[in-house]
Amino acid sequence: MNAVEIEQAISDLALKEFDRHEFPFAFLQAFGNKETTLKRLRSGSSNKSDIGGVLQANNIHILVSDQGAVTQNLAKLKDSPATTKSKARFILATDGVDFEAEDTDTGETVACAYQDFPDHFGFFLPLAGISTVQQVRESSFDIRATSRLNRLYVELLKDNPEWGSAERRPDMNHFMARLIFCFFAEDTEIFYKNGLFSDTVSQMSERDSSNTHEVISEIFRSMNTKRDLRSAEGIPRWADVFPYVNGGLFSGTTETPKFSKIARTYLLHTGSLDWTKINPDIFGSMIQAVTDEEERGSLGMHYTSVPNILKVLNPLFLDDLRAKLEEAGNNPRTLLNLRKRISSIRVFDPACGSGNFLVIAYKQMREIENTINERRGEEGRKSDIPLTNFRGIELRDFPAEVARLALIIAEYQCDLLYRGQKEAIQDFLPLANENWITCGNALRIDWLSVCPPTGKPSVLLATDLFEDQVKQDLVNFENEGGETYICGNPPYLGSTWQSKEQKQDLAEIFEGRTKNWKLLDYVSGWFMKAAEYGLHSNSASAFVATNSICQGQQVPILWPAIFSIGAKISFAHTSFKWANLASHNAGVTVVIVGLSASNFKQAKLFSINDTGSPVVKYVDFINAYLVSGFDVIVDAKKENANGFCEMIRGNTGNDGGFLYVSPDQLASMKLHPKDQARFIRRVYGSDEFINGSIRHCIWIEDSNLEAAMAIPIIKDRIESVRTTRLNSKDPGARRLAAKPHQFREMNQPLESMIVIPRVSSEARPYLPVGLMPYPNVISDRNFAMYDAPLWNLAIIASRLHWVWIGTVCVRMRTDFSYSNTLGWNTFPVPYLTEKNKTDLTKCAEEILLARESHFPATIADLYDPVTMPTNLREAHERNDEILERIYIGRRFRNDTERLEKLFDLYTVMVAKNGITKSKAKL
Ligand SMILES: C[S@@+](CC[C@H](N)C(=O)[O-])C[C@H]1O[C@@H](n2cnc3c(N)ncnc32)[C@H](O)[C@@H]1O
């Protein structure tokens, strides 16, 4: 269950009649406990309570009592030896009237009326194993509001199925945006009286809900009618109390979906929340999921957290503003200049969703402006930062609407914070008619038309919340002369997931610029457009992206094109997990890349150090792999650059599976042991190698063919291989039909082979390279080095090699995809003396022996990052020690240092043959 689902479940529980016997179980169920767990607790078999309550070990001790004994019971729970013994983190006492609880880990407590306990659901989330509790707690309101609006939305669609159709969906979205505005306005005195909207709906609509839609529609009509026109327009007296809002929000049709009794109740419940607590950045991201069928399941739980957004915005420009503020001290003139500069800064997010990057940027700039005002003795001064300087492009209409709403709410909240309630309200209404969030495809729109450079007017019509584009005024910047900062987290979308239209978007941008653009992630389009924008405007940009654009095959395709037009990486954040709250989603691994065409003194390279804290390093140049050093691109090589042994792919079947034999099939073949020894071999693909599963194959040397064909079951299989190959569309496979008894290659070692799986999980701290003796066979799911000296294994098993492969080879989701030409042949190794080779051979033997000592553990067992055996880990450490000393005379401090050294060596290594600089390749 995710946080929203839990919130729904406990809100339902609080609404039900209190049942003192059932409450503890219902409470645990709301936090995702399964029926079987509850059954065991009910029967007492797993209930550890020593005071007649319900105690779930490691979680919670609950005591329900007669009225009036709640505080004493909480003390009893605290003193109970069972609470301590069973390590119950939470204690909870209630009588159905009062509710008290404590988190025994942190000492935090909750005391409230019983019906209000769902307000504290964030407090109990560790019960459901949700650990990002701080984040959830900070956004408790947003989760509750999303949850309620979600229920309302689903109910309304049930009552009005036609509003769910493609044509009516925008109307439904508009309606939701209007409601959100009303809920916010009624709690912030923008509507003069607290709760005015909900109270009016509650009082004026029938309890059977039959006219709810009419009442709401009249309220909307009133808010769209100027005061002096209201009597002529026949606005009823009860709706006349609402202010004139306009701003496009209530213009157009005021048609409202019909409400069932349940929907009306949901509406009033939603209104009863305290909407002053809304976080426009978080709420916006969550609420967009409500209107999106595919996303609704996760209910916006993958919203981008503020700290992550700041990882983009701070180095992009906010750090600099803060540094200038620091330098200015109390100098009024310098402060004034800084305020002027801030007021003309434009922030542009060309995939803005519901505007979270823009909202955070706005809030941060307001904070800096406020400090300036305070230092200049101008507290409460009206802000010079115009909302229209925060521009966005968003493909979907609802998030685009929410983005504008979110900015309006953020402006109000900042005014409230820095200027006071009276001033905040006085300047709030009517909303400005202009809009500056464009709904459209950012890869097709000319960014210069949405966000023109200084001195040029906007030429693209902005889409207003609901208005027809054609009626719009152009929205020009209020403060000319500013810098533009482009930011956001555009859709990542790997090449296989892109639609035809999205491929075409990329074609328009990259065709003629770079070869193989079809392999690029969709997000690449934003980088290229940002780099181009930088040619025409005083701007810098930074986006979050999947790390794949800075690894392996995408690097030589994308980055030469970007660098060739003068853009450089001004800052970057190396790979980190972009975690979110969706319980089913572990988060993607991302990078942040900042681009600038102007000269900057030093580039900033951020990374997460071994203890998980962020560190920054000032460097001269950041290359396309986000490594400080030379501007190089690693290209695949046919031969090993160090002159080491050849690594080749395992044997390819092209056989329809008929050369492979499962253990069951082998048993049913009933071969004579002599024939089995002659014609059957153990074969290793990556699953067999890593997970220890068993498979065999038919392996027939030409000289044995006649004898093999004399065995009917083998003959049948060979005939099936022949037919499969003959029917293949691939001419190469058809040619192989002439040798149906064999794999395409028949490679095998004289004595042994070093085996490297082509795909393996990045979670393993080392690449799971191994050694296989003759007569085993490996399939093309692995690479092999036949009869190579063992010190090669030591190199491949090293952390240095792991880091290189993770950077220059392709990654597939969270797996490494090993490549002989790109990973092995390019791997820079210093000259190895005979002594070095002997030392490394010993290291390899130790690794193999350490594995052997855990027989029959599989590679997957042995290299589990959590349970990896100590002796194996130590053997790898020794191997790293020996190898790294060969590189730099000591151990490397971290992976960043390893990569920098490898890139240095790589540069030297290929210099003789002409360095592959990041030139655009066509
Ligand atoms: C990963 S989300 C980021 C949105 C927001 N910053 C957030 O964190 O929630 C990417 C956004 O880009 C929008 N989008 C996708 N393709 C687009 C396109 N071609 N042009 C403009 N926006 C697009 C999506 O609708 C989505 O809202």
Side-chain angles (χ1 to χ4, degrees), residues 533-550:
Y533 184 92
L535 297 177
H536 305 280
S537 168
N538 174 16
S539 69
S541 55
F543 296 118
V544 183
T546 26
N547 55 1
S548 47
I549 64 160
C550 293

Side-chain angles (χ1 to χ4, degrees), residues 285 304 350-353 356-357 394-396 440-442 489 491 522 526:
S285 303
T304 306
C352 69
N356 49 0
F357 280 70
E394 167 53 45
L395 192 62
R396 297 172 298 156
N441 181 344
N489 58 337
Y522 194 43
W526 273 261

